[in-house]
Every structure is written in structure tokens, then in C-alpha cells.
């Protein structure tokens, strides 16, 4: 194995509370939406792309209205993430530091453009990762974005670490092993390895 590709939300950190604050700030100004979103609402969207999230959270709006609302939310979300960050799982930086000494590290997440950069800016973890990708930049699926990372960086034997069924499907699409982060947001029944905490990666690699 020469490299590790990480999902972000539910694998490296939990940013839901920060994201929730940003989205509800936008929603309060929209008279078509009754009530604010909850943490449970967001937990049910983990691993989905933005168009899927908009349909799930705002089913009463037209497609055009959904797209505009989510665009506004995502733009403010990046600002909030950059200023407030999220909750890193225990010992994330120590583990990344150790892993980066032996393996090439990457991120592929189903997020909007600018989200990973905001994560980097607040938590100062960019130095551990060599590249990243997301559908906000490419309009591709997670599996396709994993393949982009593999091709762009000439990886020969990577693994993908994530916490949702969508992460499993993306790894299978890319034909690489999948490690399930059981402490995250999703429920996955099939995987190659599983970890109970981020620190468990040090016992695997």
C-alpha cells in the first residue's frame, strides 16, 4: 500500500454544529421555509452530494429554488468553517503526522468547492495532505473523484477510509479497499477493515 485517501465528514471531523449555524442563518431569511434545521436533519444527509441534500432538506421548493438556497447556504458555510472550524476526532493530527511519514495522504469528500480549503485554513492540517478533490470542483461522483486522485498522483495501491454506504460504493467503484470508520455517521455492513476510532489507524498501518 502506498497511499490513504480519506473522507472528511464523519471520518476526520464533525462539523455539523458549525454548518448548522450557517445554514439556519440563511434559512431564517427565507419565508418559504418553516422552522430551522436540526442536527438530526444534517446527520441524515452525510455522504450525499449537494443536489441530493437540497432535495432531502427542502422538498417543498422547486428545483431552481433548492439550488439557489443550497448555494447561498454553502457559501456562508465555507465562511463559518474558516472562522470556527469543526470538532476534530481525538488525536487526528498526531495520527496524520505519523501516517504521513510512511504514506501519501489525500482527501476526497462530497462537499462544495472551498469547504476542504476552509477546513485546512482553520485546523492547519494541509501540510499532511498532498491533494484533494470534491464534486464542487469536478461535478463528478465520489468514486470518479477517487479515480482522479489516483490518476493525478500515480497511486498504485491506495485505500479509502469513510463512514457511509456511499463511501463504500465509491471505493468499490474505484476498485480499492475500503476501511469503515465505525465512529462516524453512517451504517455500513460490508468493508475490508473497520476502525472504532481514528487512532486505530496506527494499529492497521
Amino acid at each position: 500500500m502506498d497511499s490513504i485517501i480519506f473522507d472528511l465528514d464523519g471520518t476526520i471531523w464533525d462539523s455539523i454544529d458549525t454548518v448548522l449555524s450557517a445554514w439556519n442563518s440563511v434559512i431564517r431569511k427565507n419565508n418559504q421555509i418553516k422552522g430551522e434545521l436540526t442536527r438530526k436533519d444534517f446527520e441524515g444527509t452525510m455522504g450525499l452530494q449537494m443536489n441530493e441534500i437540497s432535495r432531502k432538506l427542502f422538498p417543498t421548493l422547486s428545483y431552481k429554488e433548492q439550488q439557489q438556497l443550497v448555494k447561498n447556504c454553502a457559501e456562508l458555510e465555507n465562511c463559518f468553517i474558516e472562522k470556527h472550524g469543526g470538532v476534530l476526532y481525538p488525536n487526528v493530527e498526531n495520527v496524520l503526522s505519523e501516517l504521513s511519514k510512511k504514506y501519501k495522504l489525500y482527501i476526497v469528500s462530497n462537499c462544495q468547492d472551498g469547504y476542504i480549503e476552509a477546513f485546512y485554513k482553520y485546523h492547519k492540517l494541509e501540510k499532511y495532505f498532498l491533494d484533494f478533490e470534491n464534486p464542487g470542483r469536478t461535478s463528478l461522483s465520489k468514486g470518479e473523484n477517487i479515480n482522479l486522485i489516483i490518476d493525478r498522483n500515480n497511486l498504485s495501491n491506495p485505500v479509502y477510509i469513510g463512514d457511509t454506504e456511499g463511501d463504500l460504493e465509491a471505493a468499490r467503484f474505484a476498485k480499492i479497499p475500503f476501511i469503515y470508520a465505525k465512529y462516524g455517521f453512517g451504517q455500513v455492513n460490508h468493508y475490508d477493515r473497520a476502525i472504532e476510532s481514528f487512532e486505530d489507524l496506527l494499529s492497521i498501518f
Side-chain angles (χ1 to χ4, degrees), residues 71-90:
K71 181 176 181 291
N72 294 342
C73 287
E75 287 173 355
L76 187 60
E77 174 184 318
N78 285 349
C79 294
F80 272 50
I81 291 291
E82 189 174 306
K83 291 179 182 178
H84 306 291
V87 179
L88 295 176
Y89 290 118

Side-chain angles (χ1 to χ4, degrees), residues 14-187:
D14 177 348
S15 66
I16 287 180
D17 290 339
T18 303
V19 173
L20 196 58
S21 295
W23 283 50
N24 280 332
S25 294
V26 174
I27 287 169
R28 289 186 200 109
K29 300 173 185 176
N30 190 311
N31 56 20
Q32 292 180 279
I33 306 296
K34 296 180 180 179
E36 297 183 358
L37 296 171
T38 66
R39 184 178 175 88
K40 186 175 180 181
D41 292 328
F42 269 103
E43 287 177 350
T45 68
M46 289 297 109
L48 300 179
Q49 291 200 14
M50 278 297 182
N51 61 334
E52 298 170 307
I53 291 172
S54 65
R55 287 197 301 268
K56 187 164 187 174
L57 294 182
F58 311 116
T60 61
L61 300 184
S62 69
Y63 176 77
K64 185 176 180 180
E65 291 168 336
Q66 288 174 352
Q67 295 301 104
Q68 186 59 53
L69 181 57
V70 168
K71 181 176 181 291
N72 294 342
C73 287
E75 287 173 355
L76 187 60
E77 174 184 318
N78 285 349
C79 294
F80 272 50
I81 291 291
E82 189 174 306
K83 291 179 182 178
H84 306 291
V87 179
L88 295 176
Y89 290 118
N91 291 318
V92 159
E93 183 162 10
N94 290 337
V95 173
L96 291 175
S97 178
E98 288 301 310
L99 292 176
S100 67
K101 295 173 184 176
K102 299 189 243 180
Y103 305 100
K104 300 172 185 177
L105 307 184
Y106 305 90
I107 293 176
V108 172
S109 174
N110 268 349
C111 58
Q112 70 273 14
D113 192 22
Y115 183 84
I116 296 174
E117 295 93 323
F119 159 74
Y120 282 157
K121 188 164 185 178
Y122 185 86
H123 290 287
K124 314 296 184 189
L125 296 177
E126 184 174 6
K127 60 188 173 184
Y128 300 114
F129 298 97
L130 299 176
D131 199 358
F132 67 88
E133 203 50 271
N134 60 71
R137 292 204 306 191
T138 66
S139 299
L140 299 175
S141 71
K142 182 172 275 189
E144 291 170 319
N145 282 326
I146 290 174
N147 279 337
L148 268 185
I149 289 290
I150 292 171
D151 293 342
R152 196 157 68 207
N153 295 280
N154 298 311
L155 307 183
S156 60
N157 192 21
V159 299
Y160 188 66
I161 302 173
D163 67 306
T164 67
E165 190 72 23
D167 293 332
L168 167 66
E169 291 170 0
R172 294 293 185 256
F173 178 89
K175 297 181 173 60
I176 63 174
F178 175 67
I179 297 175
Y180 170 37
K182 297 178 78 172
Y183 54 85
F185 300 117
Q187 293 293 325

